[in-house]
Amino acid sequence: MATDNVLSLNTIGLEKQEALLLSCLLTIHADKLSKVWELTGEGVPHAILCDLSSPEGQQAWQEAQGRMQPIPIAYTAEPMPSAQWRLAKPVESSSLIELMQKVTSCVGEQAGAPVSSPVVSRSEEPASTSNAAPSASPIDSSLRDRLTVLAEQHQATESAAAEIKLIFGGSTGAGKSTALRTISDVSPILTEARPSDMVRRMKSETTVAMDYGELTLSNGKKLRLYGTPGQVRFEFMSEILCKGAMGLVLLANNVGANPLHELTYYLRLHGDFIKRTAAVLGITHMDQKSSPTLEEFERYLAREKWNIPVFSVDVRNREQVLSLIETLVVQLEEKGHRKS
Amino acid sequence: MISQSLKTYFFSQLQTLFKNCDVVDAAMVSTLDGRLCAEKQRADYPSERAAVMGSSLMALGDAIARELSLGLCDVIISENEKGLVLFNHINDDFVLICVTSTKSGLGSILSWARVTAEETKKNMPKDASA
């Protein structure tokens, strides 16, 4: 839907981060499109992208100053200390993949650690939800040390050659790929495809094989992070990926049709694995839909006799994702103590 | 959603493949996110599951090719004790999966699968997408 100088995109169902990624993709084609773009959600523009190299972009930028909505995003190669969001123009030598990798890592980090890349930055992040997971320091040597000990114990139990890995599982759209992207020490490997079913209303790409990332442990070994596809028909991948894993970070999408019903499915799918190891449950998108509440999830898990801690989590926030892993580590340590 | 006319189109392409290649035992077209669109078999393979697994494998092939800067992944060959499975990209949205139990049929199935994928892409209805 384009007019002479404004391209409006309907981004219903997209989070702001995803809308921002979309805007970055548009950035690639900046010269072919108009100079001012609006990203709209549910009919209300929530972001406006202003190309400051053009007079109309500058005018839109001036008009947007001081407004909270739509969020003005400056699209410029110049430093913009006053900008809440800034997209740097891609340099000509950047390939699409390079650019998207930078954008992805920045968007993943924007709510947590300082942003190092200049491609996308945001000066301030709004306060996280009140139900947020307990804050933890960024993955420090202590957490890496504890993961290292657990990994060594795991290899002692399984075999020295056993893979040291954690699994991110859970429902479609819960943010498994984003969580993995947020904390991985390396650029993650994603296997995504365009959805051809109802999932397309929720997101533009869906995992069809696995996501892969890494955390480097204190002893230099790699803790491998695998994300499973969320859709039921790919459950065979979950079975493959969970073999020999140390534990499970289960994510539930609270804007799903029936989050507790979905959780029942994933607990059944991963039940044996969880009983052998440990799990932690992160509820995502609670800022968009607060029901079921954390208490309802806790009551449900207690009724089903699962000892799984539950938190609300913003998977774009590195500290919150690391908090989930820290909680999982505690679970695994307790389990190890009980065994010994 | 995949329209019935597109499914019919895919089926006609598979019929042509079966006419041209006598070693193919089963062929399927699936979306890249694992939904079966059309199938034709001389055997009785579980096509729904093969379609899902094929999409995962194709996505992994794409990821590996990307990681190694080898461009786009065209075809994945799975050589097994009792036969061969080929996975060809038709385009960004669809995958062609061909199965043969004739182990010596690699050349034939490889050639015809490629032709079928290319022809399917070339003649695809303009508005077709997954």
Side-chain angles (χ1 to χ4, degrees), chain A residues 143-156:
Chain A
L143 182 51
R144 286 183 201 260
D145 286 347
R146 290 163 72 190
L147 281 166
T148 306
V149 171
L150 285 170
E152 285 169 352
Q153 288 170 351
H154 178 74
Q155 285 192 316

Side-chain angles (χ1 to χ4, degrees), chain B residues 104-123:
Chain B
S104 58
L106 177 61
S108 174
I109 200 168
L110 190 59
S111 166
W112 283 112
R114 189 182 297 274
V115 168
T116 303
E118 286 172 359
E119 288 295 311
T120 305
K121 180 181 180 179
K122 196 165 74 184
N123 301 317

Side-chain angles (χ1 to χ4, degrees), chain A residues 100-121:
Chain A
M100 290 312 294
Q101 279 174 343
K102 287 179 192 168
V103 169
T104 302
S105 66
C106 287
V107 170
E109 286 180 359
Q110 57 128 349
V115 174
S116 56
S117 167
V119 178
V120 181
S121 63

Side-chain angles (χ1 to χ4, degrees), chain A residues 140-203:
Chain A
D140 53 19
S141 56
S142 162
L143 182 51
R144 286 183 201 260
D145 286 347
R146 290 163 72 190
L147 281 166
T148 306
V149 171
L150 285 170
E152 285 169 352
Q153 288 170 351
H154 178 74
Q155 285 192 316
T157 314
E158 299 277 321
S159 82
E163 202 176 7
I164 311 164
K165 60 181 178 179
L166 291 181
I167 304 297
F168 285 76
S171 53
T172 305
K176 300 177 291 294
S177 303
T178 305
L180 197 140
R181 198 185 284 148
T182 300
I183 60 163
S184 175
D185 287 341
V186 299
S187 177
I189 294 169
L190 309 173
T191 57
E192 296 184 313
R194 193 159 42 195
S196 66
D197 52 17
M198 302 298 275
V199 173
R200 74 199 316 173
R201 293 186 183 174
M202 208 185 298
K203 53 185 186 171

